[in-house]
Amino acid sequence: MVSAPPPDDPGAGPAERQMRFLFALRSHGVTDPRVLAAMERIDRGAFVRGHFEDRAYEDTPLPIACGQTISQPSVVGLMTQALNVGPRDVVLEVGTGSGYQAAVLSLLCRRVMTVDRHRRLVVEAEDVFRKLGLTNITARVADGSFGLPEQAPFDRIMVTAAAEDPPGPLLSQLKVGGIMVVPVGQSDAVQTLIRVTRTETGFAYDEMRQVRFVPLVEGLGQT
């Protein structure tokens, strides 16, 4: 039996932190080898700034600029796993945030198109992408609730903000056979993570688990 690593120790070295990080992912149900390998390669610490840098490897959401958050790693892993991304897929991500989720996806697919309503977040994420040498990510400032119709259809769509219902414009930009993962529910309550698969005749919906995300807001941000 594999025992759990000891509690986080600020003095732990990179290898020990990585071991604890991967153990937390597996213990929360992230078992896909490709997803685990991608999350092992992408250093979450590169996306966490300021007072919370020393908590980058904890399995917890953390505040970032513009009133947004970087999701906890286990949720990133579970959402990525549910998306079932293939190496030739083009993925739309709605809600760039810190850029962490897009970076993980970029190691699994052909191209990631990521949008955010806050220009500051897009600029900062692009800087990290450049430093990490991630060349297959295109980040744009846009109202994510409307997706990117000029680039559609997409093989996969990842929404990292909560909508009251799966947004119609995003559903229409999903290829037949494509998958969208989106948190659904009221913004002031726990939401349900939904996996939507587009079929020849409509959409199939699977409820996954409860989550908590910032709301999906229409329009562009002020920053």
Side-chain angles (χ1 to χ4, degrees):
M1 178 181 294
V2 178
S3 59
D8 281 338
D9 175 4
E16 189 174 352
R17 286 202 308 265
Q18 192 77 304
M19 178 188 69
R20 292 171 177 164
F21 183 77
L22 293 174
F23 182 91
L25 293 177
R26 292 190 182 95
S27 66
H28 283 88
V30 183
T31 57
D32 186 306
R34 293 180 67 234
V35 174
L36 288 168
M39 295 188 71
E40 184 175 11
R41 285 180 57 190
I42 298 297
D43 180 9
R44 189 176 187 240
F47 299 88
V48 179
R49 298 176 176 83
H51 299 299
F52 297 97
E53 288 182 11
D54 61 344
R55 300 184 63 189
Y57 305 99
E58 296 179 17
D59 189 42
T60 185
L62 296 171
I64 59 173
C66 304
Q68 306 300 297
T69 59
I70 177 172
S71 298
Q72 67 192 82
S74 61
V75 171
V76 170
L78 289 169
M79 291 178 72
T80 305
Q81 185 170 269
L83 207 60
N84 192 26
V85 180
R88 297 188 60 80
D89 287 347
V90 176
V91 181
L92 170 65
E93 182 200 26
V94 176
T96 308
S98 68
Y100 178 59
Q101 175 71 83
V104 171
L105 288 168
S106 74
L107 299 187
L108 301 169
C109 67
R110 179 160 61 91
R111 174 155 292 279
V112 179
M113 306 287 296
T114 181
V115 299
D116 201 285
R117 63 192 297 268
H118 296 286
R119 181 173 299 278
R120 175 181 173 181
L121 295 180
V122 171
V123 170
E124 292 181 353
E126 286 181 315
D127 182 57
V128 182
F129 299 154
R130 281 191 296 270
K131 290 177 179 176
L132 296 180
L134 303 175
T135 59
N136 64 335
I137 305 175
T138 301
R140 294 186 180 179
V141 180
D143 183 344
S145 59
F146 294 101
L148 285 176
E150 69 277 13
Q151 299 291 333
F154 297 97
D155 300 288
R156 300 288 188 269
I157 298 177
M158 172 80 79
V159 186
T160 59
E164 291 193 16
D165 296 291
L170 299 183
L171 290 173
S172 70
Q173 293 171 36
L174 193 61
K175 285 183 180 178
V176 173
I179 296 170
M180 177 166 70
V181 174
V182 53
V184 172
Q186 298 294 327
S187 60
D188 59 348
V190 174
Q191 305 105 16
T192 301
L193 196 61
I194 303 290
R195 173 182 160 126
V196 185
T197 303
R198 185 165 193 173
T199 68
E200 294 283 357
T201 57
F203 298 92
Y205 298 85
D206 296 303
E207 293 188 3
M208 295 173 54
R209 56 166 287 170
Q210 290 188 327
V211 289
R212 188 184 294 274
F213 278 84
V214 296
L216 181 64
V217 179
E218 290 189 7
L220 298 182
Q222 299 300 309
T223 55

